[in-house]
Structures are given as C-alpha cells and as structure tokens.
Amino acid sequence: MSTPGRGLHGHVLDTLGPEITAGEYPPGSVLRTDELAQRFDVSRSVMREAVRVLESMYLVESRRRVGVTVRPKSEWNVYDPQVIRWRLAGADRPGQLRSLTVLRSAIEPVAAGLAARHATSEQCAALTECALGMVAHSRGHKLEGYLLHDVAFHRVILDASGNEMFARLGDVVAEVLTGRTQHDVMFEDPDPAAVTLHVQVAEAVRSGDAARAEELTREITVGALQELDILAP
C-alpha cells in the first residue's frame, strides 16, 4: 500500500516514519528540519509537508525554537493505518500483530452479531461472495487473492453491524490481515477450518442468527491468536 501523500515528501515518510516507529529516535529526540532536508536532498517546504503528516499521526510535534520533537509512543495515533503498517514492518511486529488481533477478538464477534440483525440483502450477498472467493483461493498458495476476499469479508461485517465506530475499524483490520500475509505470518495455505468458519458466518448473518454469527466469529479470532502463537511467538 502507498504512503499517504505523494511525491518527494512521500519518499521522506517512507524512511522517517518507520525509523520513528521502530524507536531509532527515542521520545524527546529533536529532529532539525534543515538537517533532515539535507539528508533527504529535498527542499524545506517538502520537509515541512512530511512533518505535518507525522504531526497528524501524533508521532512528532513542532516547537518554535526547539524543532521537531518525537512524542512518546503512548501519544501516537496507533489506529492510523500507516502507523500500523510501519510498526508491522519493524522489529516489534509480533507485539503489534498480537495487539491488533486481540482488538479484533474484542470487536468483530460483536460486530458479526449486529450484522446478523442489521445487514441488508446487498451486504448479505457481498458477504457470501467474499466467503466463496476465500474458498476459491484457499488452495495452491494463492494468498494474495485470498487476502483480497478476506479483507473485503471483514469490512462488510464491520459495515453491516450498523455501528459507525465499528465500521471505521475496517482499515485497521485490513492492515493486520495484510501484514500477516506480506510478512509471512501465515501458513502457505489458509487453515481449512478458518475458511469454513467464514462461510458459516456468512450463512449465519444471512439467516439472521446473531448468536451463531457472534460465536463463529469468535472462533475465527481465537484461531488467529493461536496462529500467532505458532508463527509469531
């Protein structure tokens, strides 16, 4: 996925963002805009634009006569998809994956139960289509194709819940699912039991069985945590 923003400041972010989230600049470190502009061979205006993006993520703050100061991790916008992406690319990938998967386990089962109550016929059809797409790509090392349907499936669940807060977590879930695939925290083929569970969730949502949709989705998230125990301890 591309870095937010375009052009030269995007190039700066591709390097500086991962360095900050990896801890190469500890909290309180002061980054000088002119020095950074020289390092990346960009103008100060380009560097200021990159800093504004980092500020929007609460990774840094600019102080007059001080410079650009790295903020403590506790202040970062850890829900920002780009911050998640950078952290998943760093040394703390196992911890980040576990944190995100625990978040999923708390949210998605409830969202699935709500989806069984509120999903439209179009959303039910989309969910079934996604589940069938996952089945079709579950063998033969087709993880990239599987990922597209997996991400879409979970977006539909969150959207169909009818809860705007849950729906906004679609990008977060997309990043953790993408990170698992891109960083090889997956088996060569998806767990057949997990694939079947997604099909069953789609059926439960379509039939309006909220309790079963929630129970099955909880099984999915528990399985995802167990996979981390094996593949990213």
Side-chain angles (χ1 to χ4, degrees), residues 10 14 16-17 27 31 39 45 49 60 64 67-68 70 76 85 91 99 114 122 144 150 173 211 214 230:
D14 285 339
L16 194 55
L31 311 178
R39 173 191 170 187
S45 62
E49 180 60 29
V60 302
R64 189 179 299 275
V68 179
V70 177
W76 296 352
R85 204 173 310 154
S99 176
L114 289 171
E122 291 81 7
E144 289 296 333
D150 194 14
V173 173
E214 181 170 344
I230 299 170

Side-chain angles (χ1 to χ4, degrees), residues 23-158:
E24 294 184 29
Y25 295 99
S29 299
V30 176
L31 311 178
R32 305 289 182 184
T33 303
D34 53 349
E35 293 176 3
L36 290 171
Q38 185 174 17
R39 173 191 170 187
F40 291 104
D41 192 24
V42 296
S43 67
R44 291 187 181 183
S45 62
V46 167
M47 198 61 237
R48 283 194 295 270
E49 180 60 29
V51 167
R52 277 195 289 270
V53 174
L54 295 173
E55 284 182 307
S56 72
M57 301 171 177
Y58 295 93
L59 297 180
V60 302
E61 61 179 335
S62 297
R63 296 178 179 175
R64 189 179 299 275
R65 299 191 182 87
V66 174
V68 179
T69 306
V70 177
R71 303 177 73 151
K73 185 186 297 186
S74 60
E75 297 178 2
W76 296 352
N77 180 6
V78 293
Y79 289 99
D80 187 291
Q82 182 64 75
V83 173
I84 293 171
R85 204 173 310 154
W86 287 336
R87 296 180 75 187
L88 286 175
D92 191 35
R93 182 181 308 138
Q96 175 72 164
L97 279 170
R98 188 166 299 280
S99 176
L100 290 165
T101 305
V102 169
L103 174 68
R104 289 184 59 203
S105 71
I107 298 299
E108 288 196 73
V110 177
L114 289 171
R117 297 185 179 96
H118 302 298
T120 65
S121 58
E122 291 81 7
Q123 288 170 326
C124 288
L127 206 57
T128 298
E129 183 178 350
C130 292
L132 294 177
M134 292 172 71
V135 172
H137 291 81
S138 62
R139 286 291 173 267
H141 312 327
K142 302 174 182 176
L143 286 180
E144 289 296 333
Y146 181 88
L147 173 65
L148 291 175
H149 294 285
D150 194 14
V151 168
F153 181 95
H154 291 279
R155 282 192 186 278
V156 174
I157 286 288
L158 292 166

